[in-house]
Amino acid sequence: MESKASLPTSPIRWTVEPSSSLDLGAQVLPDGVRFGVYSRYARRVHVALFREDGTEPVAVLPLPSCHGHIFQGFIPKLGPGWLYGFYAEGNFDPRQGLRFNPRKFLLDPYARALQGTFRNPGGILSGHVPLAQDADLFPDHRPSHSFMPKCVITESHFDWGEEPPLRIPREQMRVYEVHVRGFTAHPSSGVAAPGTFLGLVEKIPYLKSLGVNTVELLPVHARYSEDLLVDKGLSNYWGYNSAGFFALEPSYGSRAHPGCEIDEFKLMVRELHRAGIEVILDVVYNHSPEGSELGPTLSFRGLDNRSYYALTGPEDAPLRLYRNPTGCGNMLDFGSPVVVRMVLDSLRYFVEEFHVDGFRFDLATILGRQQGGAFDSRAPFFAAVAQDPVLRPVKLIAEPWDLEAYAVGGFPEGWMEWNAHFRDITRRWVRGDDELLAALRDKLEGSPELYEAAGREAWSSVNFVTCHDGFTLRDWVTYDLKHNEANGEGNRDGSNENFSWNCGVEGESDDAKVESLRARQTRNLLLLAVLARGTPMWLGGDEFLRTQKGSNNAYCQDNPISWHDWSRVDTQAGFLRFFREALNWRSELDVLNVWASIPNREWGRCWQGWDTAGKPWEENRAPKARSAAFLFRMSSVEETLPSELNPGENGFLLYLLLNTGDEEKVFNLPVLPPPWRWHRVVDTSLASPEDISPVGGESALLIVDRYTVALRSSVLLRTVRTLSEAESPG
């Protein structure tokens, strides 16, 4: 059926002219603005114009042209600063996937900026009658424009000035994952514009001091907060509920004027690039905030439900429901050309207009699902990206799973992937679990069991031990159990499998022994992430042991639970020093990742396992003990390792001693020929600053044939060529 509800009236008469362009969104031209919006099944689409207050429309005008299912129109004398949105007319037949409702105000999927906030009293944003049996089958005629943000017609003329192209090689990336607002929202941040892009700019010298060269920003697209969260005084703080894929989150701007966040974001990117730091955006193209059939009608559902979403349903209503492997109520259909085009347009927009360096795709397996089917790495989206001259060079990082697919190692060549196996194996090893040595070696070598067969490089594996989702590093050694009570869900949300250990006391402790052990464990875990081949990533705030008080699902906590408390820079100065020096060593040891480029070398085998007696163990006879050593040197897998090692001309050998047991262990060291000697780089059992040496400041071992590793500790040694008396200066 077609809804008989009338459109809002227009108090002012405007003219709208036909157009033949296939562009989408609001295009600012010298003499007006051209609008284009896709809808395969609508009968008519109207554009509504608002003044700056965004209250009532001053005009609601039909778009007179339609070419290739793109409704178009040109309005003379219109320009930047005006607000707008759409209304779409067509059949309302949810059983067949048609949900047109001309009383519901709709956001432009291509809007470059939004002004205002979402409000949904009594479910007024829904396109159907609320609180009724089979509610989604009956249209709701209440107008929604008063409770919706408006799209902003924008035009940017940003001066990029001197902005060096970085193009950091993937094997050299050191990634810092951070939330724009949480980074500086805390009063202790001391910035002039807390919680904004400009606030992050003020902290760039700090980022540079850490030794990271890539920031991965949690979603910066404009977001929608679910009704359930708003009712509890919470919000979708992380931002994994994008209200549009071109508009930035307005609250991350200074709000000096509508759309100001565009130039402020560009300023942030420019200054990060000037500091030698690339920018990766976490993007959420897998679903929209419109949820299930009972969710709000904000944009896609009201414009063209059948074209944007993967639909399903029983035989008598085959398109009434939504496929939901995202767990968010719906999924976009990446078998639909309009969806693939929109996402590609969004990606190109942020590369070309904002100069970002890459993207991390949330629930990226959805990108390879057509009509909601199984994940396929050869799906149209991946093929389109692979041949796109704008997108092909940028970094593409997958979160390689959703609720129905787990595809770590299964993405196309050139893609990088979050490697949850690395997180779980290293956490379990440091915690003290048994029977993990072979798996640990595989993780140190860049997970060749996942990538070697496909000829993919070690940098394909993004190695992380913590991320936004889960415990922080501090909480991983402080809590056995999650503590998500503040989310108001009875602590049922969040993962129960964190592979954590509270070191004997749940929560904060005044026991010096407990705190000493916790400090040691955090250093142990960090060291493995630094030394493993692959692309290392750290959670922002872990460098000064930020705590979320045991929350492992702080997605809705826009408050000090999630914010960075900068006072810890001083109180955790010892660990911050360890973090910085460890990253300096990561740069020094870039040979870990360039191994694959050396001619005539086996791809994966560079870390050889040794036992405490100083003897190499065979791969198929790896001991189950909680202590072992790993030797790194530039040699092929077939080459045998003699009891007396020769570092060769480059003098580069690393020996990693690991003891996760509750007693100290004596490790016999491989014998080095003169003039080589083992020097200590790290011993996590020692207090700062002895726990780690700066690059070039390693101390020679006084006892050359053995090293006693304290309980639950890690030691890193390297070879250094000592000068003879004849070679010594003077």
Side-chain angles (χ1 to χ4, degrees):
M1 63 181 176
E2 183 171 3
S3 174
K4 302 301 183 182
S6 60
L7 291 160
T9 59
S10 303
I12 301 176
R13 296 186 66 83
W14 293 69
T15 60
V16 55
E17 301 174 359
S19 172
S20 60
S21 170
L22 297 181
D23 290 335
L24 295 170
Q27 308 293 321
V28 178
L29 303 177
D31 52 349
V33 176
R34 181 175 61 214
F35 295 92
V37 60
Y38 181 95
S39 183
R40 183 181 181 89
Y41 299 99
R43 287 195 175 93
R44 286 174 295 276
V45 176
H46 296 71
V47 60
L49 301 179
F50 298 79
R51 297 191 186 276
E52 289 186 3
D53 58 14
T55 53
E56 295 297 325
V58 299
V60 179
L61 306 168
L63 296 175
S65 307
C66 186
H67 304 284
H69 306 300
I70 297 176
F71 287 84
Q72 305 160 59
F74 173 77
I75 301 180
K77 300 181 181 179
L78 196 64
W82 280 86
L83 311 181
Y84 74 101
F86 297 119
Y87 293 95
E89 296 180 86
N91 287 349
F92 186 85
D93 185 0
R95 290 182 175 88
Q96 297 302 318
L98 301 173
R99 295 180 177 270
F100 293 104
N101 187 334
R103 295 291 280 175
K104 298 306 174 183
F105 179 80
L106 306 173
L107 298 178
D108 179 4
Y110 278 67
R112 269 33 178 186
L114 299 182
Q115 177 180 320
T117 57
F118 294 95
R119 293 177 294 124
N120 195 17
I124 204 166
L125 297 186
S126 297
H128 54 268
V129 176
L131 304 178
Q133 186 176 7
D134 295 327
D136 68 299
L137 298 181
F138 301 94
D140 175 13
H141 298 316
R142 294 176 296 171
S144 63
H145 66 273
S146 297
F147 306 95
M148 290 274 289
K150 309 302 183 295
C151 308
V152 184
I153 299 174
T154 64
E155 191 173 38
S156 175
H157 300 285
F158 183 75
D159 180 10
W160 286 93
E162 295 183 5
E163 183 214 10
L166 299 181
R167 300 188 183 92
I168 296 171
R170 287 165 175 80
E171 63 268 17
Q172 295 178 15
M173 290 172 63
R174 299 183 298 280
V175 184
Y176 184 86
E177 188 199 31
V178 66
H179 189 284
V180 169
R181 174 162 169 76
F183 194 44
T184 62
H186 198 281
S188 62
S189 70
V191 302
T196 67
F197 298 129
L198 296 180
L200 191 146
V201 170
E202 296 185 62
K203 290 295 186 181
I204 289 176
Y206 170 81
L207 291 171
K208 191 171 180 64
S209 76
L210 294 180
V212 298
N213 60 16
T214 306
V215 293
E216 182 174 300
L217 303 178
L218 267 69
V220 297
H221 286 149
R223 65 175 184 258
Y224 176 85
S225 288
E226 299 89 320
D227 300 344
L228 179 63
L229 294 177
V230 174
D231 292 343
K232 293 188 292 186
L234 302 172
S235 68
N236 197 306
Y237 165 73
W238 280 351
Y240 289 94
N241 214 16
S242 299
F245 301 132
F246 295 81
L248 294 165
E249 169 56 35
S251 67
Y252 294 170
S254 65
R255 304 195 184 189
H257 57 81
C260 68
E261 62 273 9
I262 293 175
D263 282 353
E264 291 169 3
F265 181 89
K266 291 178 180 178
L267 173 66
M268 177 193 69
V269 173
R270 185 188 70 188
E271 296 308 306
L272 283 165
H273 283 177
R274 288 177 174 176
I277 300 173
E278 291 192 333
V279 180
I280 304 289
L281 298 186
D282 196 335
V283 287
V284 191
Y285 297 119
N286 56 78
H287 76 282
S288 86
E290 294 181 309
S292 72
E293 70 277 4
L294 297 177
T297 295
L298 310 174
S299 180
F300 304 125
R301 174 174 289 147
L303 286 170
D304 193 344
N305 189 59
R306 285 180 60 163
S307 292
Y308 282 105
Y309 291 116
L311 303 175
T312 187
E315 185 175 348
D316 63 338
L319 302 178
R320 178 183 176 182
L321 307 177
Y322 295 79
R323 290 278 288 110
N324 186 29
T326 66
C328 300
N330 64 63
M331 65 171 285
L332 295 184
D333 179 9
F334 277 82
S336 170
V338 67
V339 170
V340 173
R341 175 186 172 177
M342 176 183 66
V343 174
L344 292 173
D345 286 347
S346 170
L347 295 171
R348 282 190 293 260
Y349 174 63
F350 277 93
V351 172
E352 295 180 314
E353 185 72 17
F354 292 94
H355 295 195
V356 303
D357 304 284
F359 304 92
R360 179 267 189 190
F361 296 85
D362 180 65
L363 301 184
T365 43
I366 300 296
L367 309 177
R369 292 179 178 270
Q370 301 182 66
Q371 288 81 46
F375 169 73
D376 183 356
S377 63
R378 300 165 298 177
F381 175 77
F382 297 123
V385 169
Q387 59 80 41
D388 190 291
V390 174
L391 300 178
R392 190 168 56 241
V394 304
K395 278 90 173 180
L396 303 173
I397 305 173
E399 182 185 40
W401 54 75
D402 58 45
L403 295 186
E404 299 175 5
Y406 192 78
V408 180
F411 274 72
E413 184 176 351
W415 281 67
M416 307 163 77
E417 300 172 5
W418 273 28
N419 188 347
H421 294 293
F422 181 91
R423 174 198 61 199
D424 296 345
I425 292 299
T426 53
R427 283 186 174 195
R428 291 176 59 204
W429 168 262
V430 174
R431 184 174 68 172
D433 292 7
D434 295 326
E435 302 186 29
L436 291 172
L437 280 177
L440 180 64
R441 175 186 170 181
D442 186 79
K443 300 301 165 278
L444 288 173
E445 292 183 336
S447 299
E449 96 286 0
L450 293 173
Y451 302 109
E452 184 174 14
R456 297 172 64 187
E457 302 279 4
W459 48 255
S460 302
S461 175
V462 176
N463 298 331
F464 65 99
V465 294
T466 55
C467 65
H468 67 275
D469 190 2
F471 280 149
T472 65
L473 185 59
R474 169 65 187 181
D475 289 354
W476 177 74
V477 297
T478 309
Y479 298 93
D480 279 356
L481 306 173
K482 65 184 182 183
H483 294 273
N484 298 331
E485 292 82 3
N487 293 356
E489 300 178 40
N491 204 33
R492 294 183 298 274
D493 60 306
S495 174
N496 293 315
E497 194 172 63
N498 299 288
F499 304 116
S500 61
W501 179 45
N502 63 19
C503 298
V505 176
E506 184 73 0
E508 297 297 330
S509 173
D510 294 329
D511 188 318
K513 291 184 178 179
V514 170
E515 287 303 307
S516 175
L517 179 56
R518 288 174 174 174
R520 189 178 306 183
Q521 290 287 81
T522 57
R523 292 192 288 262
N524 291 336
L525 195 58
L526 175 63
L527 182 63
L528 291 177
V530 167
L531 292 178
R533 297 182 61 216
T535 302
M537 184 187 80
W538 294 278
L539 173 64
D542 273 354
E543 72 275 11
F544 50 68
L545 298 176
R546 178 173 69 90
T547 176
Q548 294 181 165
K549 308 301 181 184
S551 172
N552 74 349
N553 191 33
Y555 76 102
C556 56
Q557 299 296 329
D558 186 5
N559 53 53
I561 289 177
S562 296
W563 299 345
H564 291 219
D565 181 354
W566 290 88
S567 67
R568 297 180 74 88
V569 169
D570 296 323
T571 60
Q572 300 295 334
F575 188 78
L576 179 57
R577 176 188 175 276
F578 186 93
F579 184 94
R580 285 172 166 154
E581 296 295 351
L583 263 65
N584 287 339
W585 275 106
R586 175 72 189 194
S587 299
E588 176 74 6
L589 303 177
D590 62 359
V591 68
L592 295 174
N593 263 5
V594 302
W595 168 264
S597 65
I598 297 175
N600 303 318
R601 297 295 187 182
E602 186 77 10
W603 183 90
R605 307 306 176 203
C606 52
W607 285 100
Q608 172 66 47
W610 289 46
D611 58 26
T612 56
K615 303 295 183 182
W617 45 262
E618 299 178 10
E619 182 72 22
N620 60 356
R621 297 182 62 188
K624 298 180 180 180
R626 290 166 54 182
S627 61
F630 290 92
L631 178 76
F632 174 89
R633 75 172 190 166
M634 305 297 287
S635 61
S636 67
V637 68
E638 294 86 359
E639 184 176 340
T640 58
L641 294 174
S643 58
E644 184 177 272
L645 298 176
N646 189 340
E649 293 184 3
N650 64 4
F652 191 86
L653 294 174
L654 295 175
Y655 204 47
L656 176 63
L657 315 178
L658 304 174
N659 178 20
T660 65
D662 293 318
E663 298 178 351
E664 66 179 26
K665 290 284 185 179
V666 177
F667 286 78
N668 291 336
L669 304 180
V671 177
L672 297 174
W676 301 102
R677 291 188 61 178
W678 291 112
H679 282 53
R680 188 182 71 218
V681 175
V682 174
D683 186 334
T684 61
S685 70
L686 302 178
S688 181
E690 300 301 319
D691 51 0
I692 187 168
S693 302
V695 174
E698 315 92 296
S699 55
L701 300 187
L702 299 179
I703 302 175
V704 298
D705 61 343
R706 62 188 182 278
Y707 195 102
T708 301
V709 180
L711 61 90
R712 294 188 179 272
S713 298
S714 307
V715 172
L716 179 65
L717 308 177
R718 71 164 297 180
T719 50
V720 175
R721 185 175 183 272
T722 57
L723 298 178
S724 65
E725 292 185 6
E727 295 173 311
S728 299

